[in-house]
Structures are given as structure tokens and as C-alpha cells.
Amino acid sequence: MYKSLRALCCAAVLCLSYGAQAQSIGNAPYSRYGLGEYNYNTGNIRNAGMANTGISAANSFQINTANPALLYYNTLTAFEIGVNGEVKKLESGSGSQTDGTANLSSVSLSIPVSKRWTTALSLRPYSTVAYEVSTTSPLNTTATATEAYKGDGGISELYFGHGVRITQGLTIGASASYLFGSIVKESSTSINDPAIPEARGESVVRSEKTKYSDLLFRAGANYRTKLKDKLFMSAGAVYSLKADLGADRKSSFERRDFFGTVKESMYADSSSSKVNIPSSFAAGISLDNGSNLTVAADFYTQKWSDFRNFRGEQELADSYRASLGAEYTPDANSVGNYFDRITYRAGLYYGNSPYEKNDVQIKDKGITVGATLPFGRSTIYDLYQLNTAFGYGTRGTSENGLVKENYFRFSIGFTVNSRWFIKRRLE
């Protein structure tokens, strides 16, 4: 038992160290604005397979950090780790391109402290920045100018949550998250003129590297009641307080050659500011039969119009996201048919992203499927699960000078549940 505990804790530390670095999502043009692309999946791979629903859908064997109040239902010590991948096709009025990537998505550990209280620690991306855009225009009959914009980095979230049972059916929770990370943004100009061959490949680059850090607090609640025999209803909500991220920026102007080597540093400066993250609210309702079927619906909204960047500018618009998901396990105790022990999931979502360009707010919609496959020798003391999720969606439009994204996402990971400290409770 203790060897397993030490092994998982060491793995968690290593993954936490790596996870802070692994946030790239390929070329995402809209991550140029705000703090990048926001991570809507504040839960796990199970939630991803159900279109990120989970505000009211508890699960005893999966760590649901989407609502800290639901951590109470994790009655066994659990460890989760997963990776995400994406293949994306970008389309605009001038052409198209395809990008792909895969990275560590999250690592989580939950421990039941008492019969009424479970705590969890998790690391996951909060936002990601990864874009590269360039335009070329003529200066005269022979010379052209190329303007390029590039961004990389993101913000990670180290999550520490607690879920406590107040009375029969009512649980509450709270979490504190440490947000940290760096975002590098560069804009460059280069001139290609046969009359000035010595300047070919050289560019003038403005570089800005900003480090962010601060705390983010959330509070959640969930109530579960029995409607009739084999029919239960749960209703949950999560409120995230606004946060002011400390931001330290180093700026510079540089002259670089074709290979990116700095030929001359013409200007360097450092400054500090605050970047505010607006409050958000999520609510969900779910129905289940107490054993093998759950249907859930969530609604999430955030007032991104209150966001102000490093310079105090407003870049974003209010966003919302509505999602519907379900999961079904034919027979978790089946001996003769392995496929009956698999949990199958599906979902769909629709919403407005925080990005608004050329008077058009970028919409995001898609469908998801997923499954949890038991593996290994599961006993009353240990349970091993392989989790998968797949999704296809579209975002934006190729009209009006904008970019349309068609993306395919996948997630895979595993969960280990162990009875290390206390016996599992039944309700």
C-alpha cells in the first residue's frame, strides 16, 4: 500500500512539474486576444466525453473538480492523469492550413479525509496561447513588406479543493487555485527589396514577455434528492470570484537575422500592471437512476467584457456555453461480456466565445463521445480505469476577414482508485 502511495505521489510531482510547461495547442489565431484560449473543461476526461457537463453529475470513481462540492463523493483515494490532442483545420478567405498537437492535460489526486470531507489537488491549463499569423503587402514594383505576429505560452492552474457533506443530499465545496505562467508575444516587420540585398531576411521585432501570477477562488454547492424509485435529481452551481493577476512585463525592440539570431538590441524596458479576470457562474442539473445512467445539462457564463489587459484595454465580450451530456454502463458487474462493463458517453455544446472581431462574436459548437474501460485486476481495494474522449467542433467563420476552425480533439488517460485510508461509504 505504502509503496503504491509513494509511487503515485512521485508520479504526481513529476507530472505537475512537466504539466506547467505542456500547454501548446497548435496554431490558434484567436488565442492572440485576452489571456489566450480558456480551458472550459475544469473537470476530467469523463466530463470531456459528456461535452464538459458535470456541475451536478457526481461520480465515486472519477475526480470531478468542475464543482468542488462533488469531491465529497470520491470516497476512495484516486489518482488521475491524462493527455489531450487536437487536429485543426484553419480556413480563411485567402487559404487554409492544418495543425496538430498533443500534450499532458491534467494530473489530479483526491484523498478522503473523513466520512464527510474529501480534498483534491490538481494541475491543469487555465489558458493557452499559440498563434502565428503573417501578411505580405507590396511597397513598390519590386519591394514587399511582411508583418508577422506570433504568440506562445499560457497560464497554468494549481487547484486545491474541498468537498464537505452538510446534511443528507446537500454538499458544499470551495477551492483555491494558484494561477501562474508566461506569455510571449512578438510582432515583426521585414522588407524584401532586391535593391537592398544586405537586408534580406532581417526583421525588426517587438517582443513582450509577461509573467502572470495570483490566486483564484471558487465556491460550489450541490443538492441531490430522490424523486421516485430509481430516479434521482441533482442540482449544482459554482461561482468563481474575480481575480486580479499580477503581471510583470519585459519589452524589447530587436534586429534579427533570418535564423532569429539577435543582431542588435535597440530598446529594452520592464513594467508591471494588473490583469483582471471577471467572475463567472455555472449551474447544472442532472438525472440518474442511482446505478448506470446519468443525463446532465450545464450552463456557463462569464462577463469577459469586464476584462482589461495589461494596458487597461477592453479586448473581449461576454461569453456563454450550454451543454448536454449523458453516460450509460450496460452492466458494471458483467462477467461474460466485457463491453457491458464499459461506460459510454456522449454530449453536445453550443455557445459564444469571448472573441469578437469585425462586429462578429465567434461562436463555438460541437459534439463529443467518450468511454471508460476497466482494465487490470480490479478488487475491493483497487480499481483501474482507462478513460477516453473524442470531440468534433467548429468555431468562427471564414467570412468578414475572420478565421474558421474545424477541430477534432481527443483525450486519453487513466484513473486509479485505492482504499488506502478509510472504507467506502454507501448511501
Side-chain angles (χ1 to χ4, degrees):
M1 176 181 69
Y2 296 106
K3 290 182 179 179
S4 299
L5 175 60
R6 288 195 297 267
L8 287 182
C9 287
C10 290
V13 171
L14 291 174
C15 292
L16 287 171
S17 301
Y18 174 73
Q21 310 296 327
Q23 295 193 24
S24 175
I25 51 173
N27 193 4
Y30 294 113
S31 68
R32 179 180 173 184
Y33 307 103
L35 295 173
E37 289 203 358
Y38 173 72
N39 177 24
Y40 283 101
N41 185 13
T42 56
N44 54 19
I45 296 178
R46 172 193 179 234
N47 302 110
M50 299 169 63
N52 295 331
T53 58
I55 298 299
S56 64
N59 187 294
S60 296
F61 305 110
Q62 305 275 333
I63 306 174
N64 188 350
T65 53
N67 184 348
L70 300 182
L71 292 173
Y72 159 77
Y73 291 97
N74 290 109
T75 57
L76 302 177
T77 299
F79 174 78
E80 289 185 350
I81 187 172
V83 296
N84 288 340
E86 182 179 62
V87 177
K88 177 187 298 183
K89 183 178 181 181
L90 306 176
E91 299 177 348
S92 67
S94 58
S96 65
Q97 69 179 69
T98 301
D99 293 283
T101 188
N103 290 287
L104 181 71
S105 62
S106 65
V107 57
S108 304
L109 177 69
S110 70
I111 300 174
V113 180
S114 70
K115 292 182 178 181
R116 290 178 173 266
W117 173 21
T118 296
T119 185
L121 181 69
S122 179
L123 181 76
R124 61 192 179 216
Y126 180 83
S127 71
T128 51
V129 175
Y131 65 87
E132 191 167 358
V133 181
S134 64
T135 59
T136 300
S137 56
L139 295 178
N140 52 43
T141 56
T142 59
T144 59
T146 299
E147 295 182 346
Y149 303 89
K150 181 180 179 180
D152 187 45
I155 297 176
S156 297
E157 177 181 0
L158 180 59
Y159 168 100
F160 186 42
H162 304 267
V164 178
R165 174 186 169 185
I166 301 300
T167 185
Q168 181 67 30
L170 177 62
T171 60
I172 62 172
S175 68
S177 295
Y178 178 61
L179 303 182
F180 63 98
S182 298
I183 296 175
V184 178
K185 295 184 177 182
E186 294 182 344
S187 58
S188 64
T189 302
S190 60
I191 296 177
N192 184 11
D193 189 348
I196 316 176
E198 64 274 13
R200 178 170 296 180
E202 289 194 351
S203 59
V204 176
V205 181
R206 175 177 173 82
S207 177
E208 295 178 341
K209 181 178 182 179
T210 310
K211 292 185 177 181
Y212 299 93
S213 63
D214 214 309
L215 296 175
L216 177 68
F217 298 96
R218 299 183 180 93
N222 188 77
Y223 182 72
R224 176 179 167 83
T225 185
K226 183 176 182 178
L227 299 179
K228 61 179 183 179
D229 188 38
K230 295 185 178 180
L231 183 60
F232 298 83
M233 183 187 74
S234 295
V238 176
Y239 181 76
S240 177
L241 281 68
K242 67 178 182 179
D244 291 324
L245 295 184
D248 297 318
R249 173 171 292 178
K250 292 183 178 180
S251 306
S252 65
F253 275 99
E254 300 169 342
R255 185 168 62 88
R256 301 179 184 176
D257 62 17
F258 177 79
F259 300 100
T261 303
V262 177
K263 305 280 288 186
E264 180 184 2
S265 182
M266 296 177 285
Y267 171 81
D269 188 26
S270 61
S271 56
S272 298
S273 183
K274 292 284 187 179
V275 174
N276 66 311
I277 297 178
S279 60
S280 65
F281 177 76
I285 188 170
S286 64
L287 297 172
D288 68 85
N289 64 359
S291 60
N292 65 340
L293 176 64
T294 300
V295 179
D298 285 2
F299 182 81
Y300 174 89
T301 182
Q302 191 160 9
K303 196 172 177 58
W304 281 109
S305 59
D306 289 342
F307 171 83
R308 296 296 183 271
N309 63 17
F310 189 91
R311 298 184 179 88
E313 302 164 337
Q314 178 183 348
E315 287 187 300
L316 306 174
D318 297 342
S319 67
Y320 76 87
R321 183 183 178 97
S323 52
L324 177 68
E327 64 179 359
Y328 174 66
T329 308
D331 183 0
N333 299 314
S334 175
V335 177
N337 190 339
Y338 174 78
F339 294 99
D340 284 348
R341 291 190 284 131
I342 296 176
T343 300
Y344 303 90
R345 302 186 179 94
L348 53 90
Y349 58 90
Y350 179 88
N352 276 343
S353 75
Y355 313 113
E356 186 176 45
K357 294 285 122 186
N358 300 337
D359 297 324
V360 177
Q361 188 156 6
I362 306 303
K363 300 186 182 301
D364 191 10
K365 55 187 176 182
I367 59 175
T368 65
V369 295
T372 289
L373 296 83
F375 71 95
R377 293 187 59 186
S378 296
T379 68
I380 61 173
Y381 298 102
D382 298 285
L383 176 65
Y384 305 94
Q385 298 174 318
L386 177 67
N387 307 304
T388 63
F390 306 90
Y392 176 79
T394 63
R395 182 168 64 171
T397 175
S398 57
E399 301 175 354
N400 236 6
L402 301 175
V403 176
K404 180 180 180 180
E405 300 179 357
N406 298 291
Y407 55 84
F408 171 75
R409 294 173 178 165
F410 62 91
S411 303
I412 186 169
F414 69 86
T415 303
V416 178
N417 286 267
S418 294
R419 194 186 302 270
W420 288 341
F421 303 112
I422 63 174
K423 294 181 179 180
R424 183 185 177 198
R425 55 184 176 264
L426 298 176
E427 293 187 342

